[in-house]
Amino acid sequence: MTRTQLAPGTAVVTVPGQGLAVRTPDGEFLRVNTGQVAPEALVARLAGGETAPDAERDALVGAFAAAGYLAPPRAPWPAARRTVLLTGARTLTEPLAALLAAAGAEPRTGTADEAATAVRGHAAAVVWCLDEAVPHGLWDEADRLPERGVAWLRCHREGLQAWIEPTAARPGDVTSAQVRMRRLAATSAHRELAAYWNGHRLESGAPTSTAASAALIAALLATDLAAWAHGTPDNRRLRRIDLRDLTVTAHTVLPVPDVAPLPRPAE
């Protein structure tokens, strides 16, 4: 018999005198009508124990699965997407490498030149982590990685905010250059932001990244890589992490279409 396991964040609660309830991952409580099935028998089955077949109880378990309250079997990391090349700040790449290895990927460290020019077969994905703002033009070559069949993930820090850009896995996905264009278009301080990116700034030399913030950023990147590896990437989500309280906000970002050529003047 297949063992069951509750989905992360889900709990089954035995309420004295009331039977069972489900606490959903969103924190809501739902009453469970077990019918003729003893609550303790359902709990034993949901706890993953080996029990004798029972049609009514197994139908309830099926309802839990249909509602998304049971964890699906964990799929192994696809072999064709195991090699992940990491480059950039070691404070971020080292915890990320540990998480990827534990998940079944094969992370390895490379130089910036290796990352920017990777091709399919050399690496399935490239992750470039910066603990600073992105210098002008640094990621221009890497933005072409999806055209070569290589997935492209990146993160960087601007003062006390870190940014995780969307996964680019195929031609037409959002590139770093397009993120910059969208961010400039979304702010009235576009001249100031462009000047900041271009290095016209004086900043405190005090360290801002901590073990906690690095762990959070690494976990978010590892989650993005796992989603890409299993074919469900979120390639239009730009995330901002406030390094003061580790608050994460997400913003939808769309590709920037190519500019149509101007019509030729009439002769």
Coordinates of all heavy atoms in Angstrom, one line a residue, residues 118-182:
A118 N 28.6 30.0 -21.1 CA 28.2 28.6 -21.0 C 27.3 28.2 -22.2 O 26.5 29.0 -22.7 CB 27.5 28.3 -19.7
V119 N 27.4 26.9 -22.5 CA 26.5 26.4 -23.6 C 25.9 25.1 -23.1 O 26.4 24.5 -22.1 CB 27.3 26.1 -24.9 CG1 27.7 27.4 -25.5 CG2 28.4 25.2 -24.7
R120 N 24.8 24.6 -23.7 CA 24.2 23.3 -23.4 C 25.3 22.2 -23.4 O 26.1 22.1 -24.3 CB 23.1 23.0 -24.3 CG 22.3 21.7 -23.9 CD 21.4 21.3 -25.1 NE 20.4 22.3 -25.4 CZ 19.2 22.2 -24.9 NH1 18.8 21.3 -24.0 NH2 18.3 23.1 -25.2
G121 N 25.3 21.4 -22.4 CA 26.3 20.4 -22.2 C 27.4 20.8 -21.3 O 27.9 19.9 -20.6
H122 N 27.7 22.0 -21.3 CA 28.7 22.5 -20.3 C 28.0 22.8 -19.0 O 28.6 22.5 -17.9 CB 29.3 23.8 -20.8 CG 30.3 24.5 -19.9 ND1 30.1 25.8 -19.5 CD2 31.3 24.0 -19.2 CE1 31.1 26.1 -18.6 NE2 31.9 25.0 -18.5
A123 N 26.8 23.3 -19.0 CA 26.0 23.5 -17.8 C 24.5 23.5 -18.3 O 24.2 24.0 -19.4 CB 26.4 24.8 -17.1
A124 N 23.6 23.0 -17.4 CA 22.2 23.1 -17.7 C 21.7 24.5 -17.3 O 20.7 25.0 -17.8 CB 21.5 22.0 -17.0
A125 N 22.3 25.0 -16.2 CA 21.8 26.3 -15.7 C 23.0 27.1 -15.1 O 24.0 26.5 -14.7 CB 20.8 26.1 -14.6
V126 N 22.9 28.4 -15.2 CA 23.9 29.3 -14.6 C 23.2 30.2 -13.5 O 22.2 30.7 -13.8 CB 24.6 30.1 -15.6 CG1 25.4 31.3 -15.0 CG2 25.5 29.3 -16.5
V127 N 23.9 30.3 -12.4 CA 23.4 31.2 -11.3 C 24.5 32.1 -11.0 O 25.6 31.7 -10.6 CB 22.9 30.5 -10.1 CG1 22.3 31.5 -9.1 CG2 21.9 29.3 -10.4
W128 N 24.2 33.4 -11.1 CA 25.2 34.5 -10.9 C 24.8 35.3 -9.7 O 23.7 36.0 -9.8 CB 25.4 35.3 -12.1 CG 26.7 36.1 -12.2 CD1 27.4 36.6 -11.2 CD2 27.5 36.4 -13.4 NE1 28.5 37.3 -11.6 CE2 28.6 37.1 -13.0 CE3 27.3 36.1 -14.7 CZ2 29.5 37.6 -13.9 CZ3 28.2 36.6 -15.6 CH2 29.3 37.3 -15.2
C129 N 25.5 35.3 -8.6 CA 25.1 36.0 -7.4 C 26.1 37.1 -7.1 O 27.3 36.9 -7.0 CB 25.1 35.0 -6.2 SG 24.0 33.7 -6.3
L130 N 25.5 38.3 -7.0 CA 26.4 39.5 -6.6 C 25.9 40.1 -5.3 O 24.7 40.2 -5.0 CB 26.2 40.6 -7.7 CG 26.8 40.3 -9.1 CD1 26.6 41.5 -10.0 CD2 28.3 40.0 -9.0
D131 N 26.9 40.4 -4.5 CA 26.6 41.1 -3.2 C 26.8 42.6 -3.4 O 27.4 43.3 -2.5 CB 27.5 40.5 -2.1 CG 27.0 40.9 -0.7 OD1 25.8 41.2 -0.6 OD2 27.8 41.0 0.2
E132 N 26.4 43.1 -4.5 CA 26.6 44.5 -4.9 C 25.7 44.8 -6.1 O 25.0 43.9 -6.6 CB 28.0 44.8 -5.3 CG 28.5 44.0 -6.5 CD 29.9 44.3 -6.9 OE1 30.5 45.3 -6.4 OE2 30.5 43.6 -7.7
A133 N 25.6 46.1 -6.5 CA 24.8 46.4 -7.7 C 25.5 45.8 -8.9 O 26.7 45.6 -8.9 CB 24.7 47.9 -7.8
V134 N 24.8 45.6 -10.0 CA 25.3 45.0 -11.2 C 26.1 46.1 -12.0 O 25.5 47.1 -12.4 CB 24.2 44.4 -12.1 CG1 24.8 43.7 -13.3 CG2 23.4 43.5 -11.2
P135 N 27.4 46.0 -12.2 CA 28.1 46.9 -13.0 C 27.6 47.0 -14.4 O 27.1 45.9 -14.9 CB 29.6 46.4 -13.0 CG 29.6 45.5 -11.7 CD 28.3 44.9 -11.6
H136 N 27.6 48.1 -15.0 CA 27.1 48.3 -16.4 C 27.7 47.3 -17.3 O 28.9 47.2 -17.4 CB 27.4 49.7 -16.9 CG 26.8 50.0 -18.2 ND1 25.5 50.1 -18.5 CD2 27.5 50.1 -19.4 CE1 25.3 50.3 -19.8 NE2 26.5 50.4 -20.4
G137 N 26.8 46.6 -18.0 CA 27.3 45.6 -19.1 C 27.7 44.3 -18.6 O 28.0 43.4 -19.4
L138 N 27.8 44.1 -17.3 CA 28.4 42.8 -16.8 C 27.6 41.6 -17.3 O 28.1 40.5 -17.6 CB 28.4 42.8 -15.2 CG 29.0 41.5 -14.6 CD1 30.4 41.4 -14.9 CD2 28.7 41.6 -13.1
W139 N 26.2 41.7 -17.3 CA 25.4 40.6 -17.6 C 24.9 40.5 -19.1 O 24.1 39.7 -19.4 CB 24.2 40.5 -16.7 CG 24.6 40.0 -15.3 CD1 25.8 39.4 -14.9 CD2 23.8 40.1 -14.1 NE1 25.8 39.1 -13.6 CE2 24.6 39.5 -13.0 CE3 22.5 40.6 -13.8 CZ2 24.1 39.4 -11.7 CZ3 22.0 40.5 -12.5 CH2 22.8 39.9 -11.5
D140 N 25.5 41.4 -19.9 CA 25.0 41.5 -21.3 C 25.2 40.1 -22.0 O 24.3 39.6 -22.7 CB 25.7 42.6 -22.1 CG 25.2 44.0 -21.6 OD1 24.3 44.1 -20.8 OD2 25.8 45.0 -22.1
E141 N 26.4 39.6 -21.9 CA 26.7 38.3 -22.6 C 25.9 37.2 -21.9 O 25.3 36.3 -22.6 CB 28.2 38.0 -22.5 CG 28.6 36.7 -23.2 CD 28.4 36.8 -24.7 OE1 28.3 37.9 -25.3 OE2 28.2 35.7 -25.3
A142 N 25.7 37.2 -20.6 CA 25.0 36.1 -20.0 C 23.5 36.1 -20.3 O 22.8 35.1 -20.3 CB 25.1 36.2 -18.4
D143 N 23.0 37.3 -20.7 CA 21.6 37.4 -21.1 C 21.3 36.5 -22.4 O 20.1 36.3 -22.7 CB 21.2 38.8 -21.4 CG 20.7 39.6 -20.2 OD1 20.3 38.9 -19.2 OD2 20.5 40.8 -20.2
R144 N 22.3 36.1 -23.1 CA 22.2 35.2 -24.2 C 22.2 33.7 -23.9 O 22.0 32.9 -24.8 CB 23.3 35.5 -25.2 CG 23.3 37.0 -25.7 CD 24.5 37.3 -26.6 NE 24.4 36.4 -27.8 CZ 25.5 36.3 -28.7 NH1 26.6 37.0 -28.5 NH2 25.4 35.5 -29.7
L145 N 22.3 33.4 -22.6 CA 22.4 32.0 -22.2 C 21.1 31.2 -22.7 O 21.3 30.1 -23.2 CB 22.6 31.9 -20.7 CG 24.0 32.3 -20.2 CD1 24.0 32.3 -18.7 CD2 25.0 31.2 -20.7
P146 N 19.9 31.7 -22.5 CA 18.8 30.9 -22.9 C 18.8 30.6 -24.4 O 18.2 29.6 -24.8 CB 17.6 31.9 -22.5 CG 18.1 32.7 -21.4 CD 19.5 32.9 -21.7
E147 N 19.4 31.5 -25.2 CA 19.5 31.2 -26.7 C 20.4 30.0 -26.9 O 20.3 29.3 -28.0 CB 20.0 32.4 -27.4 CG 19.2 33.7 -27.3 CD 19.9 34.9 -27.8 OE1 20.9 34.7 -28.6 OE2 19.4 36.0 -27.6
R148 N 21.3 29.7 -26.0 CA 22.2 28.5 -26.1 C 21.6 27.3 -25.4 O 22.4 26.3 -25.2 CB 23.5 28.9 -25.6 CG 24.1 30.2 -26.2 CD 25.5 30.4 -25.6 NE 25.9 31.8 -25.8 CZ 26.3 32.6 -24.9 NH1 26.4 32.2 -23.6 NH2 26.7 33.9 -25.2
G149 N 20.4 27.4 -24.9 CA 19.8 26.2 -24.2 C 20.2 26.1 -22.7 O 20.1 25.1 -22.1
V150 N 20.7 27.2 -22.1 CA 21.1 27.2 -20.7 C 20.2 28.2 -19.9 O 20.0 29.3 -20.3 CB 22.6 27.7 -20.6 CG1 23.0 27.7 -19.1 CG2 23.5 26.8 -21.4
A151 N 19.6 27.6 -18.8 CA 18.8 28.5 -18.0 C 19.7 29.5 -17.2 O 20.8 29.2 -16.9 CB 18.0 27.6 -17.0
W152 N 19.1 30.7 -16.9 CA 19.8 31.8 -16.4 C 19.1 32.4 -15.2 O 18.0 32.9 -15.4 CB 20.0 32.8 -17.6 CG 20.5 34.2 -17.4 CD1 19.9 35.3 -18.0 CD2 21.5 34.7 -16.6 NE1 20.6 36.4 -17.7 CE2 21.6 36.1 -16.8 CE3 22.5 34.1 -15.8 CZ2 22.5 36.9 -16.2 CZ3 23.4 34.9 -15.1 CH2 23.4 36.3 -15.3
L153 N 19.8 32.3 -14.0 CA 19.2 32.9 -12.8 C 20.3 33.9 -12.2 O 21.5 33.6 -12.4 CB 18.9 31.9 -11.8 CG 17.7 30.9 -12.1 CD1 18.2 29.8 -13.0 CD2 17.1 30.4 -10.8
R154 N 19.8 35.0 -11.6 CA 20.8 35.9 -11.1 C 20.1 36.7 -9.9 O 18.9 36.8 -9.8 CB 21.3 36.9 -12.1 CG 20.2 37.7 -12.8 CD 19.6 37.1 -14.0 NE 18.5 37.9 -14.6 CZ 17.6 37.4 -15.4 NH1 17.6 36.1 -15.7 NH2 16.7 38.2 -15.9
C155 N 21.0 37.2 -9.0 CA 20.6 38.0 -7.9 C 21.7 39.0 -7.6 O 22.9 38.8 -8.0 CB 20.3 37.2 -6.7 SG 21.7 36.4 -5.9
H156 N 21.3 40.1 -7.1 CA 22.3 41.2 -6.7 C 21.7 42.0 -5.6 O 20.6 41.8 -5.2 CB 22.6 42.1 -7.9 CG 21.4 42.9 -8.4 ND1 20.4 42.5 -9.1 CD2 21.2 44.2 -8.1 CE1 19.5 43.4 -9.3 NE2 20.0 44.5 -8.7
R157 N 22.6 42.9 -5.0 CA 22.2 43.7 -3.9 C 22.4 45.2 -4.3 O 23.4 45.5 -4.9 CB 23.0 43.4 -2.6 CG 22.7 44.2 -1.4 CD 23.5 43.8 -0.2 NE 24.9 43.9 -0.4 CZ 25.6 45.1 -0.4 NH1 25.0 46.2 -0.1 NH2 26.9 45.0 -0.6
E158 N 21.4 46.0 -3.9 CA 21.5 47.4 -4.0 C 21.3 48.0 -2.6 O 20.1 48.1 -2.1 CB 20.5 48.0 -5.0 CG 20.7 47.5 -6.4 CD 19.6 47.8 -7.3 OE1 18.7 48.7 -7.0 OE2 19.5 47.3 -8.4
G159 N 22.3 48.3 -1.9 CA 22.2 48.8 -0.5 C 21.6 47.8 0.4 O 22.1 46.7 0.5
L160 N 20.5 48.1 1.0 CA 19.8 47.2 1.9 C 18.7 46.4 1.3 O 17.8 45.9 2.0 CB 19.3 47.9 3.2 CG 20.4 48.4 4.1 CD1 19.8 49.3 5.2 CD2 21.2 47.3 4.7
Q161 N 18.7 46.3 -0.1 CA 17.7 45.6 -0.8 C 18.4 44.6 -1.7 O 19.4 45.0 -2.4 CB 16.8 46.4 -1.6 CG 15.8 47.3 -0.8 CD 16.5 48.5 -0.2 OE1 17.3 49.2 -0.9 NE2 16.2 48.8 1.0
A162 N 18.0 43.3 -1.7 CA 18.5 42.3 -2.6 C 17.4 42.0 -3.6 O 16.2 42.1 -3.3 CB 18.9 41.1 -1.9
W163 N 17.8 41.7 -4.8 CA 16.9 41.4 -5.9 C 17.1 40.1 -6.5 O 18.3 39.7 -6.8 CB 17.0 42.5 -7.0 CG 16.6 43.9 -6.6 CD1 17.4 44.8 -5.9 CD2 15.3 44.5 -6.7 NE1 16.7 45.9 -5.7 CE2 15.4 45.8 -6.2 CE3 14.1 44.1 -7.3 CZ2 14.4 46.7 -6.1 CZ3 13.1 45.0 -7.3 CH2 13.2 46.3 -6.7
I164 N 16.1 39.3 -6.7 CA 16.2 38.0 -7.4 C 15.4 38.1 -8.6 O 14.1 38.3 -8.6 CB 15.7 36.8 -6.5 CG1 16.6 36.7 -5.2 CG2 15.7 35.5 -7.3 CD1 16.1 35.5 -4.3
E165 N 16.0 38.0 -9.8 CA 15.3 38.2 -11.0 C 14.7 36.9 -11.5 O 15.1 35.8 -11.1 CB 16.3 38.8 -12.1 CG 16.9 40.1 -11.6 CD 17.7 40.9 -12.7 OE1 17.7 40.4 -13.8 OE2 18.2 41.9 -12.4
P166 N 13.7 37.0 -12.5 CA 13.0 35.8 -12.9 C 14.0 34.9 -13.7 O 15.0 35.3 -14.2 CB 12.0 36.4 -13.9 CG 11.9 37.8 -13.6 CD 13.2 38.3 -13.1
T167 N 13.6 33.6 -13.6 CA 14.4 32.6 -14.4 C 14.2 32.8 -15.8 O 13.0 33.0 -16.3 CB 13.9 31.2 -14.0 OG1 14.0 31.0 -12.6 CG2 14.7 30.1 -14.7
A168 N 15.2 32.8 -16.6 CA 15.2 32.9 -18.1 C 15.7 31.5 -18.6 O 16.8 31.2 -18.4 CB 16.0 34.0 -18.6
A169 N 14.8 30.8 -19.2 CA 15.1 29.4 -19.6 C 15.0 29.2 -21.1 O 15.5 28.2 -21.5 CB 14.2 28.4 -18.8
R170 N 14.4 30.1 -21.8 CA 14.3 29.9 -23.2 C 14.2 31.3 -23.9 O 14.0 32.3 -23.2 CB 13.0 29.1 -23.6 CG 11.8 29.7 -23.0 CD 10.5 28.9 -23.3 NE 9.3 29.5 -22.9 CZ 8.8 29.3 -21.7 NH1 9.4 28.6 -20.8 NH2 7.7 29.9 -21.3
P171 N 14.5 31.4 -25.2 CA 14.5 32.7 -25.8 C 13.1 33.3 -25.6 O 12.1 32.6 -25.7 CB 14.7 32.3 -27.3 CG 15.5 31.0 -27.3 CD 15.0 30.3 -26.1
G172 N 13.1 34.6 -25.4 CA 11.8 35.3 -25.1 C 11.5 35.5 -23.7 O 10.6 36.3 -23.3
D173 N 12.2 34.8 -22.8 CA 12.1 35.0 -21.3 C 12.7 36.4 -20.9 O 13.5 36.9 -21.7 CB 12.7 33.9 -20.5 CG 11.8 32.7 -20.5 OD1 10.6 32.7 -20.9 OD2 12.3 31.6 -20.1
V174 N 12.3 36.9 -19.8 CA 12.8 38.1 -19.3 C 14.3 38.1 -19.0 O 14.8 37.2 -18.2 CB 12.1 38.6 -18.0 CG1 12.6 39.9 -17.5 CG2 10.6 38.7 -18.3
T175 N 15.1 39.0 -19.6 CA 16.5 39.1 -19.4 C 16.8 40.1 -18.3 O 16.0 40.9 -17.9 CB 17.2 39.4 -20.7 OG1 16.8 40.8 -21.1 CG2 16.9 38.5 -21.8
S176 N 18.1 40.2 -17.9 CA 18.5 41.2 -16.9 C 18.4 42.6 -17.5 O 17.9 43.5 -16.8 CB 20.0 40.9 -16.6 OG 20.5 42.0 -15.8
A177 N 18.7 42.7 -18.8 CA 18.6 44.1 -19.4 C 17.1 44.5 -19.4 O 16.8 45.7 -19.2 CB 19.1 44.0 -20.9
Q178 N 16.2 43.6 -19.7 CA 14.8 43.9 -19.7 C 14.3 44.3 -18.3 O 13.4 45.2 -18.1 CB 14.0 42.8 -20.3 CG 14.2 42.6 -21.8 CD 13.5 41.4 -22.3 OE1 13.1 40.5 -21.6 NE2 13.5 41.3 -23.7
V179 N 14.8 43.6 -17.3 CA 14.4 44.0 -15.9 C 14.9 45.4 -15.6 O 14.1 46.2 -15.0 CB 15.1 43.0 -14.9 CG1 14.9 43.5 -13.4 CG2 14.4 41.6 -15.0
R180 N 16.1 45.8 -16.0 CA 16.5 47.1 -15.8 C 15.6 48.1 -16.5 O 15.3 49.2 -16.0 CB 18.0 47.2 -16.3 CG 19.0 46.5 -15.4 CD 20.3 46.3 -16.1 NE 21.2 47.5 -16.0 CZ 22.0 47.7 -15.0 NH1 22.2 46.8 -14.0 NH2 22.8 48.7 -15.0
M181 N 15.2 47.8 -17.7 CA 14.4 48.7 -18.5 C 13.0 48.9 -17.8 O 12.5 50.0 -17.7 CB 14.2 48.2 -19.9 CG 15.4 48.5 -20.8 SD 15.1 48.1 -22.6 CE 15.4 46.4 -22.6
R182 N 12.5 47.8 -17.3 CA 11.2 47.9 -16.6 C 11.3 48.7 -15.3 O 10.4 49.4 -15.0 CB 10.7 46.4 -16.4 CG 10.3 45.7 -17.6 CD 9.0 46.3 -18.2 NE 8.5 45.4 -19.3 CZ 7.5 45.7 -20.1 NH1 7.0 46.9 -20.0 NH2 7.1 44.9 -21.0

